[in-house]
Amino acid sequence: MYFLSTRGNNEKITASQAIIKGLSSDKGLYVPSSFKDLSSELKKLVDLDYKELAYVILKEFLTDYSEKELRYCIESAYDEKFDTEKITPISKVGENYVLELYHGPTCAFKDMALTIMPYLLKTAIKKNNLQEEVVILTATSGDTGKAALEGFSDVDKIKIVVFFPENGVSSIQKLQMKTTKGKNTCVVGINGNFDDAQTGVKNIFSDKEFNNDLRQKGYILSSANSINIGRLTPQVVYYFYSYLQLVKENEITLGEKINFVVPTGNFGNILACYYAKQMGLPVNKFICASNDNNVLYDFFKTGVYDKNRDLILTTSPSMDILISSNLERLLFEISDRDSKKVNKLINDLNTKGVYKIDENMKANLSSFYGEYALEDTVDKTIKDVFDKYKYLIDTHTAVAYSCYEKYIKETNDSSKTVIVSTASPYKFSKDVLSSLSDVDSNLDDFDIINKLSDLSHTQIPGPIKELKSLEIKHNTTCEKDELKSEILKFLGK
Ligand SMILES: *Cc1c(COP(=O)(O)O)cnc(C)c1O
């Protein structure tokens, strides 16, 4: 097992090297050389807890880590930082299952990977005898930033710089990032949108001169974005875990195919689900849920990916994205691993903002189904689900929920379905509360959080409750062409 680039430059590297590098030097994304088929072993995995299962899955990807190293990373990640021993519990809501991926330290699903990635990276640095210090560079639409900061804070030999769109994240998300402790952390707001931040960071990664300059100063850049396989592979675990939980609780039978509905932005989470299927998980449909920014919906319908449109800011900001980076990994698989085709498509995307896949590739997409939900539907869904089931969901989960309702109407598919819930409702409390009742305009964020708790009879998660008493540690903003100088300033070079 090794990792190769989607763009076919013949590079073959180990998992730990891929975790350090993040992106291949030809700008392609690293993909595993093969997938291990676990379908005949599923029965044996039913009784494993999250950590044991994580080991079974991760050892198939991170093959150059020793058992001891991998277990150390897993044990360090999935501990009391999570507010439930199950790590990713499932709630039955009506006839469906909601997989809650927000029980970690920052109350969003990014914690699933970003609690373990710092340990994977720290171990990789040691294994590869790296002399330089690693600087993690991240563009965030909100949740990645805080989860990465939290994960990497005060980790030895690693520094972390996070850029976020100043007007593209919620006020709670902003507060979470700005209050981050840790001497090795740097947080900067960009005057631009998420794509500006992401493009800026991508350009820095491919800027040879800047990278050489940094290397001479003793630093190498790496990424904590969902393009890093240290992010992607831990996300495969909870798809298996949720499936096996449902088997264990006799909700489904072993081998039964189920649907997963995934609220999608950068296409990392749903791609992990696809990887799970490649490894033998019985999946019927991947329902890819988008908000008003419905590029992916169009793509699955027509085979044309067209980012030439305005980015719309919605109440589900983590999905306000026009270029879903991880889709490149899917293009690689559906073209039967033809890098020539991938290169052509990505080149079209970079030069014209649009590409079209061929009929063979489109045929390989048959288990994907794209849907999208507009803002007023999202708003109404939060209220309907609460009124009907007394179950509170956040805006991103509401996008998924309402996409699933649309899907059922269109297909009558009766397969059991897991709706993936990616954030605590308290992370987006203003929008959630205003779906349930009128919100007085002079309430501050914390009044709103308290009111939401009173009204819904649910508890405020610890990490959100304590925000109020934390000191602001970061207050820098910059223009979208000033990223490099901000990095150098932080490194003191
Ligand atoms: C990041 C995020 C998403 C999108 O996940 P991708 O892996 O980028 O598709 C959805 N919801 C929330 C709350 C997120 O933080």
Short mmCIF file of all heavy atoms in Angstrom, two decimals, residues 381-403:
data_model
loop_
_atom_site.label_atom_id
_atom_site.label_comp_id
_atom_site.label_asym_id
_atom_site.label_seq_id
_atom_site.Cartn_x
_atom_site.Cartn_y
_atom_site.Cartn_z
N THR A 381 -37.48 23.31 8.08
CA THR A 381 -37.13 21.94 8.48
C THR A 381 -36.71 21.88 9.95
O THR A 381 -37.09 20.95 10.68
CB THR A 381 -35.99 21.40 7.59
OG1 THR A 381 -36.44 21.44 6.23
CG2 THR A 381 -35.63 19.97 7.95
N ILE A 382 -35.93 22.87 10.38
CA ILE A 382 -35.51 22.89 11.80
C ILE A 382 -36.75 22.90 12.70
O ILE A 382 -36.84 22.14 13.66
CB ILE A 382 -34.62 24.13 12.08
CG1 ILE A 382 -33.30 23.99 11.32
CG2 ILE A 382 -34.37 24.29 13.58
CD1 ILE A 382 -32.41 25.22 11.36
N LYS A 383 -37.71 23.74 12.33
CA LYS A 383 -38.93 23.84 13.14
C LYS A 383 -39.77 22.56 13.06
O LYS A 383 -40.22 22.04 14.08
CB LYS A 383 -39.76 25.05 12.69
CG LYS A 383 -41.03 25.21 13.52
CD LYS A 383 -41.65 26.59 13.39
CE LYS A 383 -43.00 26.67 14.09
NZ LYS A 383 -42.98 26.16 15.47
N ASP A 384 -39.96 22.05 11.85
CA ASP A 384 -40.77 20.84 11.68
C ASP A 384 -40.20 19.66 12.47
O ASP A 384 -40.94 18.93 13.14
CB ASP A 384 -40.85 20.44 10.20
CG ASP A 384 -41.73 21.40 9.42
OD1 ASP A 384 -42.40 22.25 10.06
OD2 ASP A 384 -41.72 21.33 8.17
N VAL A 385 -38.89 19.47 12.36
CA VAL A 385 -38.26 18.33 13.04
C VAL A 385 -38.39 18.50 14.55
O VAL A 385 -38.67 17.55 15.28
CB VAL A 385 -36.77 18.17 12.62
CG1 VAL A 385 -36.06 17.13 13.48
CG2 VAL A 385 -36.68 17.81 11.15
N PHE A 386 -38.22 19.73 15.01
CA PHE A 386 -38.35 19.94 16.46
C PHE A 386 -39.80 19.73 16.92
O PHE A 386 -40.04 19.05 17.91
CB PHE A 386 -37.84 21.33 16.86
CG PHE A 386 -37.87 21.50 18.36
CD1 PHE A 386 -36.93 20.84 19.14
CD2 PHE A 386 -38.86 22.24 18.98
CE1 PHE A 386 -36.96 20.93 20.52
CE2 PHE A 386 -38.90 22.33 20.37
CZ PHE A 386 -37.95 21.68 21.14
N ASP A 387 -40.74 20.30 16.19
CA ASP A 387 -42.15 20.17 16.59
C ASP A 387 -42.58 18.71 16.60
O ASP A 387 -43.28 18.26 17.49
CB ASP A 387 -43.05 20.96 15.64
CG ASP A 387 -42.92 22.47 15.88
OD1 ASP A 387 -42.31 22.85 16.92
OD2 ASP A 387 -43.40 23.25 15.04
N LYS A 388 -42.14 17.98 15.58
CA LYS A 388 -42.61 16.62 15.43
C LYS A 388 -41.89 15.63 16.36
O LYS A 388 -42.51 14.74 16.93
CB LYS A 388 -42.37 16.18 13.97
CG LYS A 388 -43.33 15.15 13.48
CD LYS A 388 -43.27 15.07 11.95
CE LYS A 388 -43.91 13.79 11.47
NZ LYS A 388 -43.68 13.60 10.02
N TYR A 389 -40.59 15.80 16.51
CA TYR A 389 -39.81 14.79 17.25
C TYR A 389 -39.11 15.33 18.50
O TYR A 389 -38.39 14.59 19.16
CB TYR A 389 -38.74 14.18 16.32
CG TYR A 389 -39.28 13.62 15.04
CD1 TYR A 389 -39.02 14.25 13.81
CD2 TYR A 389 -40.07 12.47 15.04
CE1 TYR A 389 -39.52 13.73 12.62
CE2 TYR A 389 -40.56 11.95 13.87
CZ TYR A 389 -40.29 12.58 12.65
OH TYR A 389 -40.77 12.08 11.49
N LYS A 390 -39.25 16.62 18.77
CA LYS A 390 -38.53 17.26 19.89
C LYS A 390 -37.02 17.02 19.74
O LYS A 390 -36.29 16.78 20.71
CB LYS A 390 -39.01 16.74 21.25
CG LYS A 390 -40.45 17.12 21.57
CD LYS A 390 -40.53 18.60 21.98
CE LYS A 390 -41.95 19.15 21.96
NZ LYS A 390 -42.35 19.84 20.73
N TYR A 391 -36.56 17.03 18.52
CA TYR A 391 -35.14 16.80 18.24
C TYR A 391 -34.60 18.04 17.54
O TYR A 391 -35.15 18.50 16.54
CB TYR A 391 -34.99 15.54 17.35
CG TYR A 391 -33.55 15.15 17.11
CD1 TYR A 391 -32.81 14.52 18.11
CD2 TYR A 391 -32.94 15.42 15.89
CE1 TYR A 391 -31.48 14.18 17.89
CE2 TYR A 391 -31.61 15.07 15.66
CZ TYR A 391 -30.89 14.45 16.66
OH TYR A 391 -29.58 14.11 16.44
N LEU A 392 -33.50 18.56 18.11
CA LEU A 392 -32.97 19.83 17.63
C LEU A 392 -31.81 19.59 16.66
O LEU A 392 -30.87 18.87 16.99
CB LEU A 392 -32.49 20.64 18.84
CG LEU A 392 -32.29 22.14 18.67
CD1 LEU A 392 -33.58 22.84 18.27
CD2 LEU A 392 -31.73 22.75 19.97
N ILE A 393 -31.88 20.19 15.47
CA ILE A 393 -30.78 20.04 14.51
C ILE A 393 -30.25 21.41 14.11
O ILE A 393 -30.95 22.42 14.18
CB ILE A 393 -31.21 19.28 13.23
CG1 ILE A 393 -32.44 19.93 12.57
CG2 ILE A 393 -31.48 17.81 13.54
CD1 ILE A 393 -32.84 19.27 11.25
N ASP A 394 -29.02 21.45 13.68
CA ASP A 394 -28.41 22.71 13.23
C ASP A 394 -28.75 22.93 11.75
O ASP A 394 -29.39 22.08 11.11
CB ASP A 394 -26.89 22.67 13.45
CG ASP A 394 -26.16 22.16 12.22
OD1 ASP A 394 -26.38 20.99 11.88
OD2 ASP A 394 -25.42 22.93 11.58
N THR A 395 -28.30 24.04 11.22
CA THR A 395 -28.64 24.42 9.84
C THR A 395 -28.07 23.45 8.80
O THR A 395 -28.73 23.15 7.81
CB THR A 395 -28.09 25.83 9.56
OG1 THR A 395 -26.75 25.91 10.08
CG2 THR A 395 -28.93 26.88 10.28
N HIS A 396 -26.84 22.97 9.03
CA HIS A 396 -26.22 22.05 8.06
C HIS A 396 -26.97 20.71 8.02
O HIS A 396 -27.22 20.14 6.95
CB HIS A 396 -24.75 21.80 8.40
CG HIS A 396 -23.95 23.07 8.46
ND1 HIS A 396 -24.04 23.94 9.51
CD2 HIS A 396 -23.08 23.62 7.58
CE1 HIS A 396 -23.25 24.97 9.29
NE2 HIS A 396 -22.65 24.80 8.13
N THR A 397 -27.30 20.24 9.22
CA THR A 397 -28.06 18.99 9.31
C THR A 397 -29.44 19.17 8.69
O THR A 397 -29.98 18.25 8.06
CB THR A 397 -28.17 18.55 10.79
OG1 THR A 397 -26.86 18.58 11.36
CG2 THR A 397 -28.77 17.17 10.92
N ALA A 398 -30.01 20.36 8.86
CA ALA A 398 -31.33 20.63 8.28
C ALA A 398 -31.28 20.61 6.75
O ALA A 398 -32.22 20.19 6.08
CB ALA A 398 -31.86 21.98 8.78
N VAL A 399 -30.16 21.06 6.18
CA VAL A 399 -29.99 20.95 4.73
C VAL A 399 -30.08 19.48 4.32
O VAL A 399 -30.82 19.11 3.41
CB VAL A 399 -28.64 21.56 4.27
CG1 VAL A 399 -28.36 21.21 2.80
CG2 VAL A 399 -28.63 23.07 4.45
N ALA A 400 -29.36 18.64 5.06
CA ALA A 400 -29.37 17.20 4.74
C ALA A 400 -30.77 16.62 4.92
O ALA A 400 -31.25 15.86 4.08
CB ALA A 400 -28.37 16.47 5.64
N TYR A 401 -31.39 16.98 6.01
CA TYR A 401 -32.71 16.44 6.32
C TYR A 401 -33.71 16.77 5.22
O TYR A 401 -34.45 15.92 4.74
CB TYR A 401 -33.19 16.99 7.67
CG TYR A 401 -34.24 16.13 8.32
CD1 TYR A 401 -33.90 15.26 9.35
CD2 TYR A 401 -35.58 16.18 7.91
CE1 TYR A 401 -34.85 14.45 9.95
CE2 TYR A 401 -36.53 15.37 8.50
CZ TYR A 401 -36.16 14.52 9.54
OH TYR A 401 -37.10 13.71 10.13
N SER A 402 -33.71 18.04 4.81
CA SER A 402 -34.71 18.40 3.81
C SER A 402 -34.35 17.85 2.43
O SER A 402 -35.24 17.52 1.64
CB SER A 402 -34.95 19.91 3.80
OG SER A 402 -33.96 20.55 3.10
N CYS A 403 -33.06 17.69 2.15
CA CYS A 403 -32.68 17.03 0.90
C CYS A 403 -33.19 15.58 0.90
O CYS A 403 -33.64 15.07 -0.12
CB CYS A 403 -31.16 17.03 0.73
SG CYS A 403 -30.51 18.64 0.22
#
